[in-house]
C-alpha cells in the first residue's frame, strides 16, 4: 500500500468528492486520514491472492420485475424540496457558455 | 395502569382489552416527552397532533392490527411523508420526504402510532450521537454519558419510556451497541430480512433496519410486522417470514452455543466477562452444549468495515449536491462551486472524513490496494462464520467491551471511536443477524450502567436467535429495570 498521505493528495481527493476544504481542514484531514489509512493497512498482513471479492452479503444478481407502467412522484412533490425552482424545472447556475461552439 | 411503565406487548394487550385507551396512552407518552426530552434530547421532532388523531382512530375502532395504539419512535433517517427527515444533518435540516419508509409503513399498517423521529449521528456515522448536528442524545442511565450510536436517540427514547418501542438502523452495530449501553434488546436482522426502502442509504450492502424493545418477545413482534419481501427494495429477501412470536415458546433442544476466544479478550470489563459466564451456565442448565469456535479474522473486521462502509457512503452521499433537495450554498460561482460549497456547508466533520476516505479508497491507483483487498477480507470474515456455524447454532459474545463512555472521551481520535464497534461490525460484513440483550449492570462511581450480551446467528435464523436471547433475558432478569430520571 502507498506511503503517507500528502496535503496535495487530500486536495485532489476533496476535488473528486466535491468538498470545498479550507487550508486548516486540509491539514487536519491529512493527519486524521493518514492515521486511519495506517490502521487499515493491517489488511496487508493477509494473503488474499486466492480469495474472491465479496461486495454483497447475499448471492443475488439481476433482480427483475415486470416492465409495467406505474405512477411516479408528481412534479409538485419532487419540486417541493428544491432549493431554487422555476416550475416545472429546478434552477441551477449556467452550465454551458454563451460563447457557442457546442 | 400507567401505559408508559409496561412492555410493548403488555401495552398492546391493555389497549386491546380497553384497560387503557390509545388516546390516554399517547397523552401519557407526550407528557413524559414534554418533561424528559429537553434534558435527554432523544427526539428531534414529535408529531403530537398526528399521534393524537391516530389514537382517536384506534379508540374509535377505525385502526386495527397487532400493534393498534402502540406508540413507536423512528430514527430520523427513515423517510416519512409527514414531518422532516433530517438524518441529524444540516444538509437535510428542512427535507420533507415525499414517501414513507416501508418498515415504518408496515408498523403503521399494523396500527402503531409514530410519536416522532429521533436523533442519530449525522447520516448514521458514529457510535455516540456526538456527530448529530442537533446536539447529542444523553444516556438516561447517566446523562454525562453517551447513549451509544448511531441510533442513540431511538435507544434513549425507549430507555426513558418516551415510547413503547423504537426503530434503529444498523450498519456496523448502530442498533446493538446503543441497545447494550441503554439496557435494551436491540436486533439487527439478517441482511435483506427487512426492506431498506425509504431508509436513507449510508452503506447499502451493510444497512439493515431493526427494533429496540424492552423484551425479547416485543422484539419478535416488531420483527414479525416489519419483515418480508418488498418490491421497492430488490435486495429484500423473497422468502417466507416465520412465526417469530409463536416460535418463541418452542423448546430449545440440542442447542450448541459457540464461544470464540477472539471475542473474550482481556479488554472486556469484568462485569461483561462475568455476564458471559452466567449466560454460559444458564445455557448449560437448559441442556445446551458449549463449543469452542475460531473466528480468526475477527481483528480485521474494523479495517475492512471502514473501507467498505466509507466507499459505499462516498458513493451514496454523492446525491447531496445542492441541486434537487437539501442545503444549497448562496451565490455559487458555477455548478462545481455550487456542489463543493453546498456539501462543505451541509456536512459535519465526521461525514466529510468518511466521504474523503471512501473517495480515496475508490480512486484510481488505490482501488485494488484498499477497496478490492477489503472485499476479499470480507469474504474471509464471512468464511469464519460459515465454518463456526457448522459446529454451533449461535455465537455468544459481548456487544461492547464495557458500559457507556463519557461525552468527549473518544471524539479526539476517530480510530478510538471506530474501535467501539469491534464486536459488532463483522455481523454486518457477513450479513448475519445479531441481537444484543441486557446482561447486567456495571457500577461506576455509584451509578448503575447497563451492559449487553450479543448472540450472532445463521442467516435467516432469527427465530432461534430470539429463543436463545430469551434464555439470557430470563437469567439476567434485568429487562424490567428502568433508569431513575
Amino acid at each position: 500500500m502507498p506511503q503517507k498521505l500528502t496535503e496535495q493528495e487530500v486536495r485532489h481527493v476533496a476535488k473528486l468528492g466535491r468538498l470545498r476544504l479550507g487550508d486548516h481542514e486540509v491539514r487536519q484531514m491529512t493527519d486524521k486520514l493518514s492515521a486511519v489509512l495506517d490502521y487499515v493497512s493491517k489488511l496487508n498482513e493477509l494473503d488474499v491472492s486466492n480469495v474472491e471479492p465479496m461486495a454483497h452479503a447475499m448471492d443475488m444478481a439481476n433482480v427483475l420485475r415486470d416492465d409495467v407502467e406505474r405512477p411516479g412522484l408528481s412534479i409538485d412533490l419532487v419540486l417541493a424540496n428544491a432549493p431554487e425552482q422555476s416550475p416545472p424545472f429546478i434552477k441551477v447556475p449556467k452550465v454551458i457558455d454563451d460563447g457557442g461552439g457546442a | 395502569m400507567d401505559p408508559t411503565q409496561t412492555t410493548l406487548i403488555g401495552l398492546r394487550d391493555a389497549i386491546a382489552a380497553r384497560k387503557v385507551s390509545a388516546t390516554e396512552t399517547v397523552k401519557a407518552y407526550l407528557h413524559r416527552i414534554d418533561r424528559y426530552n429537553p434534558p435527554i434530547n432523544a427526539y428531534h421532532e414529535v408529531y403530537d397532533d398526528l399521534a393524537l388523531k391516530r389514537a382517536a382512530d384506534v379508540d374509535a375502532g377505525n385502526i386495527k392490527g397487532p400493534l393498534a395504539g402502540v406508540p413507536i419512535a423512528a430514527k430520523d433517517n427513515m423517510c416519512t411523508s409527514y414531518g422532516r427527515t433530517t438524518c441529524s444533518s444540516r444538509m437535510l435540516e428542512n427535507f420533507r420526504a415525499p414517501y414513507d419508509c416501508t418498515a415504518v409503513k408496515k408498523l403503521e399498517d399494523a396500527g402503531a402510532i409514530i410519536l416522532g423521529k429521533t436523533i442519530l449521528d449525522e447520516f448514521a456515522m458514529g457510535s455516540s450521537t456526538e456527530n448529530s448536528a442537533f446536539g447529542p442524545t444523553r444516556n438516561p442511565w447517566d446523562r454525562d454519558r453517551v447513549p451509544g450510536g448511531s441510533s442513540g436517540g431511538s435507544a434513549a427514547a425507549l430507555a426513558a419510556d418516551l415510547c413503547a418501542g423504537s426503530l434503529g438502523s444498523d450498519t456496523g452495530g448502530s442498533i446493538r451497541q446503543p441497545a447494550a449501553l441503554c439496557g435494551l434488546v436491540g436486533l439487527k436482522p439478517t441482511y435483506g430480512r427487512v426492506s431498506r426502502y425509504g431508509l436513507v442509504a449510508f452503506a447499502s450492502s451493510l444497512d439493515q433496519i431493526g427494533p429496540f424493545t424492552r423484551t425479547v418477545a416485543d422484539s419478535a413482534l416488531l420483527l414479525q410486522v416489519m419483515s418480508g419481501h418488498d418490491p421497492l427494495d430488490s435486495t429484500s429477501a423473497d422468502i417466507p417470514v416465520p412465526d417469530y412470536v409463536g416460535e418463541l415458546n418452542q423448546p430449545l433442544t440440542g442447542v450448541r452455543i459457540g464461544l470464540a476466544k477472539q471475542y473474550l479478550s482481556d479488554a472486556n470489563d469484568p462485569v461483561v466477562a462475568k455476564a458471559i459466564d452466567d449466560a454460559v451456565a444458564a445455557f448449560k442448565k437448559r441442556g445446551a452444549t458449549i463449543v469452542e469456535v475460531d473466528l480468526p479474522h475477527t481483528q480485521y473486521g474494523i479495517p475492512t468495515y471502514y473501507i467498505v462502509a466509507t466507499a459505499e457512503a462516498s458513493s451514496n452521499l454523492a446525491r447531496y449536491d445542492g441541486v434537487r433537495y437539501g442545503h444549497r450554498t448562496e451565490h455559487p460561482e458555477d455548478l462545481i462551486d455550487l456542489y463543493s460549497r453546498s456539501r462543505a456547508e451541509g456536512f459535519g466533520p465526521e461525514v466529510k472524513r468518511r466521504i474523503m476516505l471512501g473517495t480515496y479508497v475508490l480512486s484510481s491507483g488505490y482501488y485494488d490496494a484498499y477497496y478490492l483487498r477489503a472485499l476479499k477480507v470480507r469474504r474471509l470474515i464471512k468464511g469464519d462464520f460459515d465454518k463456526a456455524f457448522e459446529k454451533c447454532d449461535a455465537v455468544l459474545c459481548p456487544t461492547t467491551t464495557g458500559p457507556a463512555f463519557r461525552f468527549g472521551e473518544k471524539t479526539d481520535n476517530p480510530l478510538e471511536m471506530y474501535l467501539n464497534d469491534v464486536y459488532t461490525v463483522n455481523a454486518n460484513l457477513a450479513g448475519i443477524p445479531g441481537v444484543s440483550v441486557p446482561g447486567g449492570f456495571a457500577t461506576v462511581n455509584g451509578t448503575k450502567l447497563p451492559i449487553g450480551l450479543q448472540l450472532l446467528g445463521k442467516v435467516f435464523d432469527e427465530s432461534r436467535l430470539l429463543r436463545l436471547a430469551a434464555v439470557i433475558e430470563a437469567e439476567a432478569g434485568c429487562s424490567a429495570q428502568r433508569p431513575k430520571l
Side-chain angles (χ1 to χ4, degrees):
Chain A
M1 277 188 200
Q3 59 282 45
K4 209 169 153 57
L5 202 62
T6 64
E7 285 188 18
Q8 198 189 346
E9 282 176 303
V10 167
R11 287 182 203 280
H12 172 66
V13 174
K15 195 178 154 199
L16 293 177
R18 300 286 186 258
L19 273 177
R20 170 76 65 91
L21 298 183
D23 291 342
H24 179 63
E25 270 184 301
V26 168
R27 277 194 295 278
Q28 270 193 336
M29 199 69 88
T30 308
D31 287 349
K32 293 205 168 168
L33 288 184
S34 291
V36 175
L37 287 174
D38 188 46
Y39 175 69
V40 301
S41 68
K42 187 180 171 59
L43 298 187
N44 288 337
E45 295 168 8
L46 295 168
D47 176 9
V48 292
S49 46
N50 294 314
V51 183
E52 278 295 303
M54 172 179 158
H56 208 270
M58 298 295 144
D59 281 326
M60 49 163 69
N62 296 340
V63 179
L64 302 176
R65 62 167 172 79
D66 293 335
D67 187 15
V68 181
E69 205 179 311
R70 49 178 188 180
L73 294 174
S74 73
I75 287 181
D76 285 351
L77 265 180
V78 172
L79 282 181
N81 282 295
E84 280 188 85
Q85 48 178 283
S86 169
F89 303 110
I90 291 168
K91 276 172 91 168
V92 290
K94 195 181 281 184
V95 182
I96 301 164
D97 278 341
D98 292 330
Chain B
M1 74 169 286
D2 181 348
T4 67
Q5 301 295 307
T6 175
T7 62
L8 190 153
I9 290 176
L11 175 61
R12 187 270 311 261
D13 291 346
I15 293 170
R18 307 227 161 224
K19 287 182 187 149
V20 63
S21 72
T23 302
E24 286 165 330
T25 299
V26 167
K27 279 184 176 164
Y29 277 104
L30 290 175
H31 180 72
R32 281 185 72 88
I33 291 170
D34 272 348
R35 187 163 167 203
Y36 296 115
N37 195 57
I40 290 173
N41 197 35
Y43 284 99
H44 180 57
E45 219 171 48
V46 177
Y47 309 125
D48 311 46
D49 295 345
L50 275 174
L52 285 167
K53 191 178 169 301
R54 272 182 69 79
D57 279 337
V58 171
D59 290 332
N62 300 329
I63 293 177
K64 294 182 164 68
L67 294 174
V70 174
I72 302 277
K75 187 177 181 177
D76 201 13
N77 60 351
M78 296 172 196
C79 290
T80 49
S81 54
Y82 44 86
R84 277 177 276 255
T85 301
T86 72
C87 292
S88 291
S89 176
R90 293 281 171 214
M91 180 60 85
L92 293 176
E93 194 166 2
N94 297 306
F95 179 69
R96 291 179 181 275
Y99 52 78
D100 290 298
C101 171
T102 296
V104 175
K105 189 78 176 36
K106 282 191 164 190
L107 294 185
E108 292 188 303
D109 288 348
I113 297 173
I114 302 299
L115 282 184
K117 306 273 276 290
T118 59
I119 293 281
L120 57 147
D121 285 292
E122 185 177 2
F123 285 101
M125 297 179 185
S127 310
S128 68
T129 71
E130 289 169 289
N131 297 332
S132 152
F134 309 126
T137 301
R138 296 181 176 276
N139 192 318
W141 291 91
D142 179 352
R143 293 180 200 175
D144 292 333
R145 290 174 190 270
V146 304
S150 65
S151 314
S154 283
L158 178 59
D161 290 308
L162 309 183
C163 58
S166 56
L167 295 191
S169 63
D170 191 314
T171 305
S174 283
I175 293 172
R176 290 161 288 154
Q177 184 253 19
L181 304 191
C182 289
L184 304 167
V185 177
L187 172 69
K188 182 204 92 72
T190 306
Y191 183 84
R193 180 72 292 181
V194 175
S195 166
R196 291 182 297 112
Y197 181 74
L199 172 69
V200 177
F202 162 12
S204 307
S205 82
L206 307 168
D207 298 341
Q208 188 63 197
I209 292 175
F212 288 100
T213 53
R214 287 205 170 278
T215 69
V216 172
D218 289 352
S219 189
L221 176 58
L222 291 188
L223 180 66
Q224 189 84 61
V225 171
M226 285 192 290
S227 292
H229 179 63
D230 178 7
L232 298 171
D233 173 8
S234 62
T235 63
S236 67
D238 197 0
I239 58 171
V241 178
D243 178 6
Y244 297 118
V245 177
E247 289 177 11
L248 208 49
N249 297 319
Q250 280 182 9
L252 282 164
T253 47
V255 173
R256 298 162 305 165
I257 300 290
L259 290 177
K261 62 175 181 290
Q262 288 85 358
Y263 285 78
L264 304 172
S265 83
D266 293 341
N268 294 338
D269 188 291
V271 174
V272 172
K274 179 169 184 307
I276 293 276
D277 291 344
D278 291 348
V280 165
F283 281 120
K284 277 186 183 162
K285 203 164 68 190
R286 286 162 175 83
T289 315
I290 309 295
V291 295
E292 205 174 298
V293 295
D294 193 20
L295 299 166
H297 297 97
T298 299
Q299 56 170 320
Y300 300 100
I302 295 279
T304 302
Y305 173 80
Y306 277 92
I307 292 173
V308 172
T310 58
E312 293 186 24
S314 70
S315 169
N316 272 326
L317 271 62
R319 72 191 65 181
Y320 305 105
D321 55 8
V323 173
R324 293 149 300 159
Y325 47 79
H327 174 75
R328 179 184 286 199
T329 192
E330 298 199 343
H331 312 301
E333 286 164 25
D334 52 30
L335 195 60
I336 298 290
D337 189 49
L338 182 148
Y339 296 153
S340 309
R341 280 206 284 135
S342 298
R343 290 163 64 77
E345 293 162 7
F347 292 137
E350 181 60 23
V351 173
K352 287 182 190 175
R353 273 198 289 278
R354 296 206 195 185
I355 290 174
M356 290 289 291
L357 183 61
T359 306
Y360 180 78
V361 300
L362 289 177
S363 67
S364 169
Y366 301 107
Y367 181 93
D368 286 3
Y370 290 104
Y371 183 63
L372 196 61
R373 175 168 284 266
L375 292 187
K376 291 177 176 180
V377 180
R378 183 178 184 182
R379 186 169 300 280
L380 295 176
I381 290 168
K382 180 174 182 292
D384 281 359
F385 283 111
D386 289 344
K387 278 198 210 93
F389 290 138
E390 286 171 10
K391 289 170 68 181
C392 71
D393 302 302
V395 173
L396 169 68
C397 59
T399 312
T400 61
T401 53
F405 48 94
R406 289 176 187 281
F407 287 102
E409 211 173 288
K410 301 187 177 185
T411 41
D412 284 347
N413 182 355
L415 268 179
E416 208 175 312
M417 189 70 90
Y418 296 172
L419 288 171
N420 242 294
D421 304 329
V422 63
Y423 293 150
T424 49
V425 289
N426 290 313
N428 301 78
L429 290 167
I432 59 173
V435 61
S436 180
V437 197
F441 294 90
T443 305
V444 183
N445 303 329
T447 306
K448 267 173 72 180
L449 299 171
I451 57 112
L453 294 186
Q454 184 176 217
L455 286 161
L456 301 173
K458 301 174 189 175
V459 290
F460 300 111
D461 200 20
E462 283 86 351
S463 181
R464 177 163 23 202
L465 208 56
L466 288 164
R467 273 180 283 156
L468 295 172
V471 172
I472 297 176
E473 177 177 59
E475 186 66 22
C478 46
S479 61
Q481 297 203 39
R482 291 168 145 88
K484 288 192 185 69
L485 295 180

